[in-house]
């Protein structure tokens, strides 16, 4: 049985295959509308979510399956002290596949050790968010038509932003990738990502706290919010939360075909005036999320 806990578990060929299936679903959704008939997807969200939970639920419904689950730990028996591994063993009796988000790093991995059905990590603390990365990869495939020879700026909270850790891990496998990490000193990319992913694979990167300095070089600008829920004190959050705000004037030197991405939710880091710019891809990105999750459900349930 296969789970998806970390994006590293998927080979480049498997990612290519998922993207091909997602594109086919976008073109011919009717072909897939009964693929998961009689299958049930459980969504166990111990942390808030809009896109990940609802796109997984929409994905399963559009595949002809059913959904069940909870959207906050307080409405489950976790509130009575039940462990993750007990919850998983029970939910496996009622469903064919489980999507799980948890504030503790590694919780979906622990769940996968006890589960009788496939587990999908929908975000674990500040660690990983592999299905957001699949969403990002489908967005890049559709909007940039390639994964190689791209200069990717990643801006905001690079320390706690789990989506960017998974994205860097995935993109570092393609040729000619360069990264520009744009963050305040306190929210820089963790050393383990720089050492284990970037330096080991000889990937070029620069670090800066100036959003405009490298703007003209970028093919992709990936904005992120400052992760309030992971800060130890509110004072630091308030000081850093509006450090970068992308607006029209900051895009003056940007390429005409820049792709502006954001995993969402957005707080202040992209001014709404940017939403009408044809380079703004973040709402399209949220839409792509449903299709790649449909492809992933089919893969993990081994449905052709
Ligand atoms: N991008 C993302 O994970 O959004 P949600 O927190 O709304 O699921």
């Amino acid at each position: 049985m296969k789970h998806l806990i970390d994006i590293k578990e998927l080979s480049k060929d498997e990612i290519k295959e998922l993207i091909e299936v997602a594109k086919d679903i976008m073109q011919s959704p009717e072909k897939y509308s009964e693929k998961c008939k009689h299958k049930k997807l459980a969504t166990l969200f111990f942390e808030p979510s809009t896109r990940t939970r609802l796109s997984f639920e929409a994905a399963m419904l559009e595949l002809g399956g059913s959904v069940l689950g909870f959207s906050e730990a307080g409405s489950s028996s976790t509130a009575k002290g039940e462990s993750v591994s007990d919850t998983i063993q029970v939910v496996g009796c009622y469903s064919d596949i489980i999507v799980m988000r948890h504030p503790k790093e590694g919780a979906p991995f622990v769940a996968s050790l006890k589960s009788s059905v496939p587990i999908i990590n929908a975000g674990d603390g500040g660690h990983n968010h592999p299905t957001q990365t699949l969403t990002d990869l489908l967005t890049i495939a559709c909007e940039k038509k390639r994964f190689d020879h791209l200069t990717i700026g990643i801006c905001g909270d690079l320390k706690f932003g789990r989506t960017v850790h998974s994205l860097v891990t995935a993109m570092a496998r393609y040729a000619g990738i360069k990264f520009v990490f744009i963050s305040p000193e306190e929210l820089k990319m963790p050393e383990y990502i720089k050492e284990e992913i970037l330096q080991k694979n000889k990937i070029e990167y620069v670090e800066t706290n100036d959003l405009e300095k490298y703007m003209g070089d970028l093919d992709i600008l990936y904005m992120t919010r400052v992760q309030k829920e992971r800060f130890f004190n509110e004072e630091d959050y308030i000081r850093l939360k509006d450090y970068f705000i992308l607006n029209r004037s900051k895009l003056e030197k940007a390429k005409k075909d820049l792709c502006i991405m954001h995993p969402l939710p957005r707080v202040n880091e992209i001014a709404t005036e940017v939403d009408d710019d044809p380079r703004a891809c973040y709402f399209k990105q949220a839409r792509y999320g449903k299709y790649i999750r449909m492809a992933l459900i089919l893969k993990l349930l081994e449905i052709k």
Side-chain angles (χ1 to χ4, degrees):
M1 190 211 320
K2 270 200 112 172
H3 309 283
L4 180 63
I5 306 300
D6 189 314
I7 195 70
K8 280 188 283 206
E9 294 157 10
L10 292 173
S11 67
K12 279 163 72 175
D13 282 347
E14 285 176 307
I15 286 174
K16 193 171 163 212
E17 184 194 310
L18 283 169
I19 285 174
E20 275 164 16
V21 173
K23 284 182 175 172
D24 195 52
I25 296 171
M26 285 192 268
Q27 273 197 336
S28 315
E30 66 291 343
K31 266 180 15 196
Y32 294 85
S33 63
E34 297 208 341
K35 291 277 183 196
C36 285
K37 208 171 169 184
H38 308 305
K39 297 284 185 193
K40 291 194 278 297
L41 170 103
T43 52
L44 310 188
F45 277 66
F46 297 87
E47 252 195 359
S49 167
T50 296
R51 276 144 294 273
T52 311
R53 185 171 66 85
L54 296 182
S55 65
F56 262 115
E57 293 190 359
M60 191 52 154
L61 294 173
E62 290 189 25
L63 290 167
S66 313
V67 296
L68 64 158
F70 54 79
S71 57
E72 52 175 312
S75 66
S76 75
S77 284
T78 304
K80 301 178 207 162
E82 187 169 56
S83 68
V84 165
S85 69
D86 283 3
T87 302
I88 285 297
Q89 288 179 77
V90 171
V91 177
C93 303
Y94 312 142
S95 60
D96 301 287
I97 184 164
I98 297 173
V99 180
M100 176 182 167
R101 173 172 287 185
H102 201 282
K104 285 213 176 99
E105 285 85 357
F109 172 69
V110 171
S112 73
L113 300 177
K114 291 285 180 180
S115 182
S116 56
V117 301
I119 299 283
I120 300 174
N121 177 6
D124 59 329
H127 188 218
N128 264 311
H129 193 349
T131 68
Q132 179 62 49
T133 303
L134 289 175
T135 299
D136 300 341
L137 293 173
L138 179 60
T139 307
I140 295 169
C142 293
E143 301 298 321
K144 300 303 296 179
K145 318 281 184 221
R146 67 183 195 277
F147 287 142
D148 54 1
H149 299 93
L150 292 167
T151 300
I152 305 172
I154 306 185
C155 175
D157 184 348
L158 311 188
K159 179 179 178 186
F160 296 117
R162 58 192 172 200
T163 65
V164 302
H165 303 158
S166 296
L167 180 65
V168 168
T169 305
M171 291 308 296
R173 295 192 285 190
Y174 297 95
I177 295 295
K178 293 181 195 164
F179 289 107
V180 179
F181 297 134
I182 310 150
S183 74
E185 186 62 30
E186 297 90 331
L187 298 178
K188 281 168 83 172
M189 188 61 77
E191 286 304 316
Y192 79 90
I193 300 271
K194 288 190 268 184
E195 282 165 22
E196 289 169 29
I197 309 289
L198 300 168
Q199 289 154 17
K200 215 181 235 179
N201 294 298
K202 299 190 171 52
I203 308 289
E204 219 179 289
Y205 69 92
V206 290
E207 295 181 287
T208 177
N209 62 3
D210 183 345
L211 174 55
E212 286 164 275
K213 188 170 175 187
Y214 296 95
M215 187 64 83
D217 300 334
L218 304 180
D219 299 300
I220 293 169
L221 173 57
Y222 195 99
M223 296 296 295
T224 64
R225 100 190 139 89
V226 174
Q227 305 271 307
K228 183 180 182 184
E229 63 275 32
R230 318 242 179 261
F231 272 75
F232 295 113
N233 71 69
E234 189 154 0
E235 211 174 281
D236 284 349
Y237 171 70
I238 289 167
R239 185 167 53 81
L240 295 168
K241 73 184 173 71
D242 294 330
Y243 202 97
F244 299 110
I245 299 179
L246 182 68
N247 56 21
R248 271 194 205 134
S249 75
K250 293 200 174 94
L251 285 167
E252 265 167 24
K253 290 195 184 125
K255 289 183 182 174
K256 294 271 176 285
D257 64 348
L258 172 71
C259 176
I260 305 168
M261 298 173 65
H262 191 312
L264 304 178
R266 150 175 70 181
V267 184
N268 281 330
E269 55 282 352
I270 303 182
T272 52
E273 66 182 19
V274 177
D275 296 358
D276 296 331
D277 189 304
R279 294 169 291 188
C281 293
Y282 30 94
F283 290 114
K284 277 196 254 181
Q285 190 181 347
R287 180 177 289 275
Y288 288 131
K290 180 182 71 177
Y291 297 110
I292 199 76
R293 288 176 173 117
M294 289 170 84
L296 180 65
I297 291 168
L298 292 173
K299 179 178 173 63
L300 295 184
L301 289 178
E302 297 182 345
I303 295 171
K304 292 280 172 220

